Amino acid sequence: MSPTDYSKFTSDYYVKSALAGGICCSITHGAVCPVDVVKTRMQLNPAKYNDGMMGGFRKVIAEEGAGALSTGLGATAIGYFIQGWFKFGGVELFKIQAAKAVGEEKAWENRTAIYLGSAAGAEFIADCFLCPLEACRIRGVSDPSYGSSLGAVAGRLMKEEGLVRGFYSGFGPILFKQVPYTMAKFAVQGRTSESMYNSLGKTAAQCGAGLNLGVALSSGVVAGVVAALISHPADTLLSKVNKAGAGGDGSIVSRMMNITTETGVVKLCTQGLGARCVMIGTLTALQFGIFDSVMGALGVSKFHFHKPS
């Protein structure tokens, strides 16, 4: 196989990668917003929402109407577009620059480490922008009367709780949730898709658009479920720490410890887990499928590690 031509990975490529990432994350997270509303309610009020995902849907619709399932849609769509921009664009930037720096042989031998490091760095940057919007989403879902729009929720949070407590109380949990999730997501998807191409005896460049889409979707499901299992305790903690009054009035760390003690480690790891595996498995598969499709529509191909020999 010929050496990788790194000259094609210009700033234009990274901007297109970031745009494709923003689009795929905004669409997928927006599409599963109803599932996320029910999942968040199950995490925040397990005594009330104790009859499974379908029971949760029925209860929300019966008590608040079908429109309640779209609560937080604006914050979700905007927040995850920004997050997807930095996450997917950042992963492409970091992994390509790492591969270029160490050479193709060492990049191939250490591709899992490069996936993990690139994903961790990109996700940290993305979460700095996502956290305030996620705080608004969770507050709106937990208390639909808190504000009639994203702007109203954000304004009230700033007025009542200030910048740090209002918008960044969940920064620790969101890092604890998103960084391991994203590391697993990209590493597992990368290695799973690699195994699929190996079983086909072809590279991505040798496959048609339909087959590449099938690989992206299939490997995305596997990656999503693994990532959901790894990050679920922090997802539950994030939902609870953004609920008004949760964990007392101390520091963010002390509130997190109080919530963990009150909830219990087992419940922290299992509340809403089935719903999240379904949601994240579907969401991740669609993200990689849409990302690859948008990249193709923009006239670029995603970087793939390959064995020089």
Side-chain angles (χ1 to χ4, degrees):
M1 184 174 289
S2 59
T4 300
D5 178 15
Y6 288 102
S7 65
K8 66 183 180 180
F9 299 114
T10 62
S11 58
D12 180 67
Y13 172 85
Y14 297 121
V15 169
K16 288 178 178 178
S17 299
L19 178 61
I23 291 171
C24 76
C25 286
S26 182
I27 290 174
T28 52
H29 280 277
V32 298
C33 184
V35 179
D36 211 24
V37 168
V38 176
K39 174 188 70 71
T40 302
R41 296 285 181 88
M42 290 169 68
Q43 291 172 324
L44 295 177
N45 195 349
K48 180 177 181 180
Y49 298 93
N50 60 0
D51 49 353
M53 175 60 69
M54 295 310 298
F57 270 104
R58 288 192 292 269
K59 191 162 290 184
V60 170
I61 293 171
E63 294 181 358
E64 303 172 43
L69 295 174
S70 65
T71 303
L73 179 59
T76 297
I78 295 170
Y80 281 95
F81 179 88
I82 296 170
Q83 190 232 23
W85 176 283
F86 287 102
K87 176 162 67 175
F88 278 82
V91 167
E92 288 300 304
L93 173 64
F94 292 146
K95 75 179 183 183
I96 291 170
Q97 293 304 311
K100 186 178 178 180
V102 302
E104 287 193 311
E105 187 69 42
K106 287 193 176 296
W108 172 258
E109 294 170 355
N110 298 283
R111 59 197 184 283
T112 299
I114 293 174
Y115 275 127
L116 293 171
S118 299
E123 186 60 53
F124 179 86
I125 296 169
D127 287 345
C128 294
F129 297 92
L130 173 65
C131 193
L133 288 149
E134 187 72 349
C136 292
R137 182 194 70 80
I138 292 174
R139 185 58 61 91
V141 170
S142 63
D143 182 4
S145 65
Y146 194 81
S148 58
S149 66
L150 172 59
V153 172
R156 185 172 172 184
L157 267 178
M158 175 63 81
K159 181 179 179 181
E160 294 181 355
E161 301 187 24
L163 177 65
V164 175
R165 183 179 176 87
F167 295 108
Y168 284 94
S169 287
F171 191 57
I174 208 171
L175 288 178
F176 183 42
K177 164 195 168 185
Q178 288 293 136
V179 171
Y181 159 75
T182 300
M183 291 170 72
K185 168 179 168 177
F186 280 94
V188 173
Q189 193 274 337
R191 296 304 296 265
T192 303
S193 63
E194 178 187 306
S195 297
M196 290 180 174
Y197 285 120
N198 287 341
S199 68
L200 293 170
K202 298 180 179 180
T203 65
Q206 295 169 332
C207 297
L211 185 54
N212 281 330
L213 179 60
V215 170
L217 292 171
S218 301
S219 59
V221 170
V222 177
V225 173
V226 173
L229 291 170
I230 289 172
S231 61
H232 187 71
D235 181 67
T236 305
L237 191 60
L238 175 65
S239 294
K240 291 181 179 294
V241 81
N242 278 304
K243 184 179 180 181
D249 297 320
S251 66
I252 293 173
V253 174
S254 67
R255 291 175 62 206
M256 289 167 58
M257 294 299 294
N258 291 340
I259 291 168
T260 302
T261 302
E262 292 166 5
T263 306
V265 175
V266 174
K267 286 187 177 180
L268 202 66
C269 295
T270 58
Q271 282 178 350
L273 178 59
R276 188 157 189 268
C277 283
V278 172
M279 183 185 79
I280 298 299
T282 304
L283 179 147
T284 304
L286 292 174
Q287 279 183 2
F288 282 109
I290 294 171
F291 178 80
D292 284 5
S293 298
V294 173
M295 290 283 277
L298 294 173
V300 292
S301 298
K302 186 171 71 174
F303 171 83
H304 290 276
F305 291 103
H306 69 265
K307 193 173 185 178
S309 58

